[in-house]
Amino acid sequence: MIKIILFVCFTVGAIGVNAESIAYQKIPNCPSAEKNIENIYANKDLSVSVCYHSGEWDVFAVSSDSHSWLDFKRGNDFYSTEQAVVYEFPNVQFPNLADGKMELHTKNNTLIGVIFRIVQGDSKTSSELYVVKLDATGAYFCGREKANDKARLRLSNISACKPLPLKELVLKSLPAHERKRN
């Protein structure tokens, strides 16, 4: 009887280690980014704050005078959702990050995806969820959805995702010793 109980506890513990989890971060509560990152964005007339920081990925809320979006940094590579948010949002003026929460999806304590809401201007009625998948090879835009459950399904289907563009203008602004690729 004792052997069976120990086996069950070990199995449950092992399953928990590999479990995927979801955390939430309120976008308005994101603190300022490091000074060197702030300066890079300020040189492009953009403001930036860090919404998530881990050993592997950083998530930045970026804003111009009329738009806002998320950028992702892994090592010295910056990936941006600016194109998808600002230029591909259909029939929308002034797309911006919603003041609500973004979903941070992790597996084994590693960030693997982010779901965030974009609204039209100050509107709460016209919005869509954006889905970004993250892995060791880069950041991928997986599409837009109206409902949370459908957005989560998109996150699990990497074949429907396209690579987010590297933000070379930021990388080129880094000092030479920080430009080395990981």
Side-chain angles (χ1 to χ4, degrees):
M1 181 71 162
I2 294 174
K3 290 180 184 177
I4 294 172
I5 293 171
L6 290 174
F7 176 74
V8 170
C9 290
F10 178 76
T11 303
V12 171
I15 291 169
V17 169
N18 293 319
E20 190 172 322
S21 63
I22 300 173
Y24 299 92
Q25 169 68 43
K26 285 189 154 224
I27 292 176
N29 294 345
C30 300
S32 297
E34 295 175 10
K35 199 66 174 163
N36 64 333
I37 301 293
E38 264 186 7
N39 290 340
I40 291 168
Y41 282 91
N43 287 338
K44 306 297 178 195
D45 293 324
L46 301 170
S47 61
V48 63
S49 56
V50 62
C51 291
Y52 179 84
H53 173 74
S54 72
E56 193 166 347
W57 285 99
D58 293 329
V59 180
F60 299 107
V62 181
S63 60
S64 67
D65 289 338
S66 56
H67 308 314
S68 58
W69 60 89
L70 292 181
D71 279 359
F72 301 87
K73 179 180 177 285
R74 182 175 188 271
N76 290 326
D77 291 334
F78 288 77
Y79 301 87
S80 183
T81 62
E82 179 182 12
Q83 180 69 32
V85 170
V86 176
Y87 304 106
E88 295 174 8
F89 197 91
N91 304 317
V92 172
Q93 293 182 348
F94 309 113
N96 283 288
L97 291 166
D99 284 340
K101 302 175 207 168
M102 65 176 171
E103 288 187 6
L104 302 167
H105 293 253
T106 59
K107 186 171 184 174
N108 298 327
N109 296 320
T110 300
L111 187 64
I112 60 168
V114 177
I115 298 174
F116 60 99
R117 186 171 298 279
I118 294 292
V119 298
Q120 178 176 339
D122 293 331
S123 172
K124 301 283 185 206
T125 58
S126 177
S127 70
E128 288 189 298
L129 295 166
Y130 279 61
V131 181
V132 175
K133 178 83 172 163
L134 306 166
D135 67 22
T137 63
Y140 301 86
F141 178 60
C142 301
R144 296 181 281 272
E145 290 291 346
K146 292 282 187 190
N148 288 337
D149 56 340
K150 289 184 179 180
R152 290 181 189 120
L153 282 174
R154 277 192 181 267
L155 190 58
S156 64
N157 183 8
I158 190 71
S159 65
C161 305
K162 65 180 184 178
L164 281 173
L166 276 170
K167 200 166 191 160
E168 291 297 327
L169 62 112
V170 174
L171 184 59
K172 290 176 184 173
S173 300
L174 289 171
H177 70 280
E178 292 184 27
R179 280 188 235 152
K180 294 177 185 161
R181 303 274 181 180
N182 291 343

